Amino acid sequence: MPAMSDILLRVGRLNYVWTNTESLLIYIIAHLLKVEKDAAIVVFLTLNTTRARIDLVERLAKLPATPEHETDVVLGLMARLKRESKMRNKYNHCIYSFDDAGDISSTQLMRLIEDEREVKYGKVEPLDHREVDRLEKSIGAIVDISKGLWTFIRASPLYTDAA
């Protein structure tokens, strides 16, 4: 099992790159709505979930006024961001189980799964070296998404370095 400090370092990095990347949606919203950054910040902060923010960006990108090339780029980036949100959500909404040495041995998702006959909760998954590799790949993918968002933002006529 990986050391607890290694896991916590990666979870911290995951949250850091996620937060920085999600905040770039402010510029995408400003571009798509053709508004100043301050107005886009109000919209961004009014929507209090990542899912709502991504949904808004996708819907704005699909409007007829959005050039097709921009629609393709934005929808592609949002699809990738949604995929990576699964890893982020897992580590932000799980509890950890520990082994006898005090190291993290598994995660337990704190989500209910309900059907007509029963309620289940807490899917347990090992936190082994393979999972740490998945975590690292997700961090790298989010960094790449951030770079793609920045490329789009810098091409926007609304973007200035002083923004």
Side-chain angles (χ1 to χ4, degrees), residues 1-51:
M1 289 292 145
M4 182 166 44
S5 60
D6 292 336
I7 300 300
L8 296 178
L9 176 67
R10 285 175 174 89
V11 171
R13 283 180 47 222
L14 177 69
N15 282 308
Y16 172 77
V17 298
W18 181 270
T19 301
N20 284 341
T21 301
E22 185 176 1
S23 71
L24 296 178
L25 296 182
I26 292 167
Y27 294 99
I28 306 300
I29 292 167
H31 175 82
L32 294 171
L33 287 175
K34 297 173 181 55
V35 298
E36 296 295 319
K37 185 174 116 180
D38 288 347
I41 289 170
V42 170
V43 172
F44 179 88
L45 294 176
T46 299
L47 301 170
N48 60 5
T49 67
T50 297
R51 183 66 199 183

Side-chain angles (χ1 to χ4, degrees), residues 66-74 152:
T66 304
E68 188 175 337
H69 167 72
E70 291 183 6
T71 299
D72 294 343
V73 171
V74 171
F152 184 87

Side-chain angles (χ1 to χ4, degrees), residues 62-131:
K62 292 175 184 177
L63 291 176
T66 304
E68 188 175 337
H69 167 72
E70 291 183 6
T71 299
D72 294 343
V73 171
V74 171
L75 292 180
L77 289 165
M78 292 305 100
R80 291 172 58 202
L81 195 57
K82 281 193 285 191
R83 274 194 305 274
E84 296 310 321
S85 73
K86 292 177 181 137
M87 183 68 78
R88 181 254 185 194
N89 289 341
K90 174 181 178 175
Y91 283 95
N92 277 301
H93 302 291
C94 75
I95 59 173
Y96 299 98
S97 298
F98 299 88
D99 62 18
D100 293 337
D103 287 324
I104 299 171
S105 60
S106 61
T107 60
Q108 185 172 10
L109 294 181
M110 297 311 295
R111 170 182 270 183
L112 292 175
I113 299 169
E114 183 176 0
D115 63 22
E116 292 178 15
R117 301 191 54 86
E118 63 184 341
V119 175
K120 297 178 186 176
Y121 67 92
K123 180 180 177 184
V124 176
E125 296 181 313
L127 216 167
D128 53 17
H129 290 287
R130 195 171 122 214
E131 180 65 7

